[in-house]
Amino acid sequence: VSDVAAQATVVAAVSPTLYAPAAGTVTYTRNAGDAVRKGDLLATVESPGLRNEFEREQATLESLRVDLKRQEIDVGRKVLQGQQTSDMAGVAIRAAEREFARAEQAWAQKVISERDFQRARDELDEARLTHKHAVATAGLEKESLEFELQTRRLQRDRQQLLVEDLERRVGELEVKSPVDGIVGDLAVTQKASVQQDAALLTVVDLSALEIEFRVAETYAGTIAPGMASEVSFGGKTYAGEVSAISPEVRQGEVTGRVRLREVPPGLRQNQRV
């Protein structure tokens, strides 16, 4: 059994950096070193351009909704008109059938001319043909109107997705902590103008601190993940285990990490142990 001693540094295994979701002016609500909980507001980015775009697209969405309602009413009215034309053609058929029946009886009794009888038959055929075309035209008109209505609905849905995305981006202007921990370094000054995706601050998760050590490359082959380790801090020793060992040698040293089984109180990032 052999021991390897090394100076080590406390590092945060989880220290997310938060970025500006849009160009604007940043206002910090917390200072470096403040303890925060997950979901706490850390900073606000004022972006008039993004808010104006959101309101403009929202107004466009409302306009499309109103147009869709108007289109639905117009489609309903045109469908009723087509149905009315078809029904009137059906009534004309029944009237022509009655006239043809009377003409048949009259022709059988030879009280009307053959010309009048043939005209009654032609009128019946014409009424049937008119009704057939009216039904077909009404069906095609209904399908065409439904396609137009579906196009309007797709336009509304696409605009709805655009508005929802902008609403999400506007909500992200309030930068909130993703983890419990403390506020790390502030990347810019208070009320500074930042560009989109510019770094704003970091949040250090104190519950996920690890120990980063460096040993001579001659010991690297004997160290492996899972090996027991002891961390001395504040006059006390805390148990841990090796969580990772780098396969790369830099300046004759190999870097590794130790995960503590219990994080001692008062441990800070970049502190030597």
Side-chain angles (χ1 to χ4, degrees), residues 91-108 111-113 115-125 127-128:
V91 173
I93 287 179
R94 291 192 292 272
E97 288 175 345
R98 288 194 299 268
E99 290 296 329
F100 181 70
R102 285 194 293 266
E104 276 187 322
Q105 294 176 0
W107 171 248
V111 296
I112 62 172
S113 64
R115 180 180 178 182
D116 292 339
F117 174 69
Q118 294 295 338
R119 183 170 63 247
R121 175 178 290 174
D122 292 341
E123 290 177 352
L124 176 59
D125 292 340
R128 287 173 176 171

Side-chain angles (χ1 to χ4, degrees), residues 29-224:
T29 58
R30 296 297 182 94
N31 298 317
D34 289 350
V36 294
R37 306 287 294 178
K38 182 178 180 180
D40 288 351
L41 180 64
L42 304 180
T44 303
V45 178
E46 292 295 332
S47 179
L50 180 58
R51 291 189 180 275
N52 181 54
E53 183 182 1
F54 170 63
E55 293 174 358
R56 184 173 64 251
E57 297 298 340
Q58 197 171 31
T60 302
L61 175 61
E62 292 300 325
S63 177
L64 288 176
R65 286 174 176 170
V66 172
D67 289 342
L68 178 60
K69 290 291 184 182
R70 186 184 299 110
Q71 184 76 10
E72 289 175 346
I73 295 173
D74 188 49
V75 167
R77 182 173 63 252
K78 290 182 178 180
V79 170
L80 287 177
Q81 290 176 354
Q83 186 65 38
Q84 182 182 10
T85 303
S86 177
D87 293 341
M88 293 299 295
V91 173
I93 287 179
R94 291 192 292 272
E97 288 175 345
R98 288 194 299 268
E99 290 296 329
F100 181 70
R102 285 194 293 266
E104 276 187 322
Q105 294 176 0
W107 171 248
Q109 297 175 7
K110 304 299 181 181
V111 296
I112 62 172
S113 64
E114 183 179 0
R115 180 180 178 182
D116 292 339
F117 174 69
Q118 294 295 338
R119 183 170 63 247
R121 175 178 290 174
D122 292 341
E123 290 177 352
L124 176 59
D125 292 340
E126 181 181 358
R128 287 173 176 171
L129 186 61
T130 301
H131 177 262
K132 179 181 178 181
H133 287 174
V135 171
T137 302
L140 292 175
E141 181 71 14
K142 184 178 180 181
E143 289 182 5
S144 176
L145 294 173
E146 287 178 349
F147 282 136
E148 292 181 4
L149 202 59
Q150 184 179 6
T151 301
R152 292 294 182 91
R153 289 196 181 102
L154 291 175
Q155 291 176 351
R156 179 205 59 187
D157 295 342
R158 181 175 60 185
Q159 186 66 24
Q160 178 70 38
L161 292 175
L162 178 60
V163 169
E164 289 177 355
D165 181 64
L166 288 172
E167 186 177 11
R168 175 188 59 80
R169 292 177 58 190
V170 169
E172 290 177 350
L173 293 177
E174 293 184 347
V175 182
K176 298 180 179 180
S177 175
V179 295
D180 296 341
I182 63 172
V183 178
D185 296 332
L186 304 182
V188 296
T189 59
Q190 185 77 283
K191 298 295 182 181
S193 295
V194 295
Q195 297 298 320
Q196 184 176 357
D197 297 329
L200 298 179
L201 51 86
T202 57
V203 180
V204 180
D205 186 359
L206 296 180
S207 64
L209 293 176
E210 292 185 349
I211 310 301
E212 185 177 88
F213 63 87
R214 290 181 177 84
V215 295
E217 59 179 308
T218 55
Y219 297 107
T222 60
I223 300 177

